[in-house]
Amino acid sequence: MTSTTTEPDGADDADATPGTPRRRRWRRIRRIGYWTAGVLIGGPLIAFWIAYLVLDVRSPQEVLAGLDKTVVLNYSDGSPLLKVIPADGDRMFVPYAQVPSKLRDAIIATEDPTFWDNQGFDPTGIGRAFLTGVGGGSGITQQYIKKSTGDDDATIGRKFAELVLATKITQEQSKEQIFESYVNIISFGRGTFGPGAAMNAYFGKKLDDSMTWSEAAFLAGMIQSPSVHDPAASGDAHAARRWQYVHDKLVARGYVKSDEKMIYPGGEVQPPSETRAGRVTYDEFHIKQQVLAELEQDGFPLSRLQQGNMTVETTLDRKAQEAAKKALQDRLKGEPKEFRGAVVAVDPKTGAVRAYQGGDQGVRDYASTPHAAGSAFYPFTLAAALRNGFGLDQPIPSPEKQEFLGEDFQYPAVCGPVCSPGTAMRAQADGPFIFLAKKLGPDALSDAARRAGIPETVDGVPTMREKDGFLIGAGIAIGRYPLRPLDMAGAYATFAADGVRTTPHLVAKVRDESGAVVWEHTDTTSAAFDDDGTSRRIAQDVTAALGTSLPDGRPAALRFGAAEHGISPDNQDAWAVGYTPQLATAVWIGSDDDRLLKDATGAKLTGDVVPGDIWRAFMSAALDGQPFRPLGGGERKVLAPPPEIRPRR
């Protein structure tokens, strides 16, 4: 008989009953497992939810509004003049609809092929960051978030924030909005941000639908590492490989057919020296500074222009601007190296500055730097005399020696002991105008010049005054007080407009990024000398005294002038200032310091030689093709100098 040993009934149940050690142990294990699972799964979900509520997605408008963008200055016809570049590079905002479809496709094919369908993040990149703690590629949405937040740290924390914000931005904004912001804040190299600046920097073209697939592939290839992929940095061989990579992506993803002809556009890429963002010549720099100063006074400081991505339409005429530069450069070739020059031309009817050349020798702007006006001031003396009852043909004394306000003046009696103001102007005589200054008093001369358009102050400093800012000295009789070419052109424009004064200005309109006009210059005109009839009579008489003609026979008015060096008979500044009904132009020639000047022939500098040649060359070129118009309404016969009188300067 075999005996067996059995456990008492209920032994297993006893181990499993509540309260036993084994049951309590398994309960603790399950509890720990639940908590662990909760922490591993629920923790990130809770953190994600909290971060989703706390972290905020900046809208495209907010991101772009916080960036300084490029301000474009255009000529009056809308063609580009120059750009004002932010310190961190050329940033021209381009709306989504204006980004060529080829470029959009090339960027998406290269940077984020699932952009249109994904939830804003790259799971592979996020996973790699969690595993390695660094790096991990990211799509367009994540790149936009990284750029907009300025957080470039390759950490798990940053990747987590990207994940949250990428999810949130995808839910709150359209893909088009995200792409628009992304493409406008990324760098394409060469100091450019956005596709518009990049297209100009690399190909010298405007961004539009004429863009080729080859150009699109090139620009898309720059985004990853522009400082490396630029052919100017790494050579065409490297850049061509990068271009081929983008080309292959376009083909593989169906944007371009495999048999569609595409060629690496290396031959079209301009060297950086020709496309450097913000690169301006000295004469362009002067225009930029003058325009920005004017806009500042009109309530549009540079910061406002940059934040609003605004475009400035200047009054400058491309043809006239180029003519001024050419006339100045051509004539100064071969002259002494210390010669400096400026040309300013103004539309007499509106005050619009059509040409502004402040010189290209350095940052000093000679067009807005005051220089002694010399005998180019005499038309204002004549205007004062006409306003106070003197006649253009009225004989007046012309003594060789005169005393005025304690200073002695001695000039040869070029037109005899008695000479009319009109004849004296034509003969370039000084004596009659010193007599008029003495007879009228210095205040009358200053007042006439101001009425014509010479401002009371320049940069807070009174004009036509002694250093104390109040007294007017004897120097006003011979134009010793310095005046700017810009103001001289504007004041002579009053005579050209039959006595109607305007204000010279270089800005016509300001447009926002949509092209809408947000500010426009309003022309203001007024009779310069008392009532309209008096102003017209004075202006026409001054015009008659200055009458001449251009080489093509066009009626014009012109005054040469020179300012003496100290008390010597030699000159330090020379002028040619004159006008037609369409254009009033001031030309100044001098140097950086006060010194006597002689031209290339060894003769002392005078207004009728170097400045006169520049004035005629510019006016002939700028007015070419425009109709001939009579001066002064044709109501006053132009005076001619007597045969025996030879102009002295």
Side-chain angles (χ1 to χ4, degrees):
M1 200 174 165
T2 304
S3 64
T4 60
T5 303
T6 61
E7 294 290 335
D9 292 341
D12 289 337
D13 291 340
D15 286 341
T17 57
T20 63
R22 185 177 180 184
R23 182 61 176 252
R24 288 196 298 271
R25 185 167 58 252
W26 280 107
R27 186 181 298 164
R28 284 196 299 270
I29 292 171
R30 286 195 299 269
R31 187 179 297 119
I32 292 171
Y34 294 151
W35 277 104
T36 301
V39 170
L40 293 177
I41 298 174
L45 291 176
I46 294 172
F48 186 94
W49 178 72
I50 294 173
Y52 191 95
L53 295 177
V54 173
L55 296 176
D56 193 21
V57 180
R58 301 175 70 195
S59 68
Q61 291 78 13
E62 186 181 358
V63 172
L64 294 171
L67 301 172
D68 286 341
K69 292 172 280 293
T70 298
V71 178
V72 178
L73 273 58
N74 289 332
Y75 283 105
S76 58
D77 63 1
S79 60
L81 170 59
L82 59 89
K83 294 187 293 185
V84 182
I85 307 301
D88 60 349
D90 189 359
R91 194 186 304 275
M92 299 169 60
F93 174 76
V94 181
Y96 174 82
Q98 295 179 20
V99 179
S101 59
K102 292 176 181 175
L103 182 58
R104 293 200 301 260
D105 292 343
I107 292 174
I108 290 171
T110 308
E111 296 295 315
D112 191 355
T114 64
F115 171 72
W116 295 112
D117 303 313
N118 64 40
Q119 295 303 307
F121 58 88
D122 174 15
T124 304
I126 296 291
R128 184 159 54 249
F130 272 103
L131 290 173
T132 65
V134 294
S138 58
I140 284 174
T141 306
Q142 287 173 264
Q143 290 184 49
Y144 162 59
I145 291 169
K146 181 170 64 176
K147 294 292 185 182
S148 66
T149 60
D151 187 358
D152 290 327
D153 293 336
T155 63
I156 293 175
R158 196 261 290 173
K159 282 294 181 181
F160 179 75
E162 279 185 17
L163 173 63
V164 175
L165 288 174
T167 302
K168 192 170 185 177
I169 196 175
T170 303
Q171 294 178 350
E172 294 183 351
Q173 298 176 17
S174 70
K175 289 287 188 176
E176 288 79 8
Q177 285 179 299
I178 295 170
F179 184 89
E180 177 183 85
S181 293
Y182 161 79
V183 82
N184 277 288
I185 66 175
I186 56 173
S187 172
F188 285 81
R190 296 195 178 183
T192 65
F193 292 83
M199 187 66 179
N200 179 66
Y202 288 102
F203 297 105
K205 299 179 182 179
K206 293 181 66 175
L207 185 74
D208 55 35
D209 289 333
S210 66
M211 169 180 273
T212 66
W213 275 117
S214 294
E215 293 167 341
F218 180 90
L219 292 184
M222 290 296 106
I223 296 172
Q224 183 199 62
S225 184
S227 61
V228 173
H229 300 320
D230 187 342
S234 301
D236 276 308
H238 174 92
R241 287 194 296 272
R242 178 61 182 170
W243 178 89
Q244 186 65 45
Y245 172 83
V246 179
H247 168 270
D248 294 344
K249 293 291 185 182
L250 285 168
V251 172
R253 283 154 186 165
Y255 292 107
V256 175
K257 295 180 180 179
S258 58
D259 59 350
E260 186 167 344
K261 187 176 181 180
M262 288 177 61
I263 301 174
Y264 167 68
E268 303 172 29
V269 177
Q270 301 187 62
S273 61
E274 297 180 12
T275 62
R276 178 165 53 85
R279 183 172 183 259
V280 294
T281 58
Y282 283 123
D283 52 328
E284 290 172 335
F285 173 79
H286 302 148
I287 293 171
K288 181 184 78 171
Q289 295 299 98
Q290 195 70 21
V291 167
L292 292 180
E294 189 174 307
L295 286 167
E296 178 98 22
Q297 294 179 346
D298 292 324
F300 284 85
L302 178 58
S303 58
R304 182 179 178 185
L305 296 169
Q306 290 176 323
Q307 292 295 301
N309 193 43
M310 295 181 181
T311 298
V312 179
E313 181 180 306
T314 71
T315 61
L316 295 173
D317 177 82
R318 178 184 285 275
K319 176 182 177 182
Q321 185 67 13
E322 292 175 351
K325 183 172 185 175
K326 185 176 188 302
L328 192 62
Q329 289 182 339
D330 287 354
R331 186 58 183 83
L332 290 185
K333 289 178 181 177
E335 292 296 335
K337 66 180 187 312
E338 63 267 21
F339 273 26
R340 303 288 184 263
V343 179
V344 180
V346 174
D347 183 337
K349 290 185 177 180
T350 65
V353 177
R354 299 305 187 192
Y356 189 94
Q357 271 292 328
D360 59 0
Q361 292 91 351
V363 296
R364 186 175 182 182
D365 180 0
Y366 300 103
S368 64
T369 300
H371 315 278
S375 44
F377 186 84
Y378 289 167
F380 305 128
T381 304
L382 175 58
L386 295 170
R387 184 168 177 256
N388 284 274
F390 282 85
L392 184 63
D393 304 312
Q394 176 182 340
I396 57 175
S398 178
E400 292 188 13
K401 296 181 180 181
Q402 299 181 75
E403 184 274 335
F404 177 52
L405 295 180
E407 185 173 342
D408 294 325
F409 295 95
Q410 183 172 351
Y411 292 100
V414 176
C415 58
V418 176
C419 184
S420 72
T423 302
M425 186 70 75
R426 300 287 293 171
Q428 303 283 324
D430 295 279
F433 292 103
I434 296 172
F435 171 83
L436 288 173
K438 185 175 181 178
K439 190 75 174 176
L440 298 169
D443 288 322
L445 272 61
S446 174
D447 181 59
R450 296 206 190 287
R451 287 175 176 273
I454 300 299
E456 291 190 12
T457 62
V458 172
D459 297 330
V461 179
T463 59
M464 296 182 292
R465 294 290 188 273
E466 294 297 308
K467 292 182 179 180
D468 62 8
F470 297 97
L471 294 177
I472 306 176
I476 197 169
I478 57 172
R480 191 176 292 156
Y481 293 123
L483 301 174
R484 302 185 302 177
L486 174 63
D487 299 326
M488 288 288 281
Y492 271 62
T494 298
F495 301 131
D498 284 343
V500 177
R501 185 181 65 241
T502 59
T503 302
H505 58 281
L506 280 88
V507 180
K509 298 175 182 178
V510 178
R511 300 179 185 272
D512 63 18
E513 61 187 24
S514 69
V517 176
V518 296
W519 181 86
E520 186 171 4
H521 175 84
T522 302
D523 293 334
T524 56
T525 60
S526 61
F529 307 103
D530 305 315
D531 57 79
D532 291 344
T534 302
S535 285
R536 185 180 303 107
R537 175 182 59 81
I538 290 175
Q540 290 178 353
D541 279 357
V542 171
T543 296
L546 299 177
T548 185
S549 62
L550 291 174
D552 61 1
R554 184 187 302 270
L558 176 60
R559 172 68 198 188
F560 302 125
E564 295 174 342
H565 177 64
I567 58 174
S568 77
D570 295 302
N571 300 326
Q572 67 183 32
D573 297 279
W575 296 78
V577 192
Y579 50 87
T580 67
Q582 299 103 318
L583 213 56
T585 301
V587 176
W588 167 86
I589 297 295
S591 64
D592 285 324
D593 51 11
D594 295 338
R595 65 166 80 183
L596 61 89
L597 294 174
K598 295 183 178 182
D599 61 25
T601 67
K604 72 176 181 178
L605 178 66
T606 58
D608 58 328
V609 182
V610 180
D613 292 344
I614 295 171
W615 189 89
R616 293 187 189 91
F618 165 73
M619 293 290 278
S620 296
L623 295 170
D624 183 43
Q626 295 192 31
F628 285 30
R629 292 179 182 171
L631 276 169
E635 299 176 18
R636 187 66 157 85
K637 184 178 180 181
V638 173
L639 301 179
E644 69 274 10
I645 295 177
R646 294 180 178 273
R648 187 171 63 86
R649 62 179 182 276

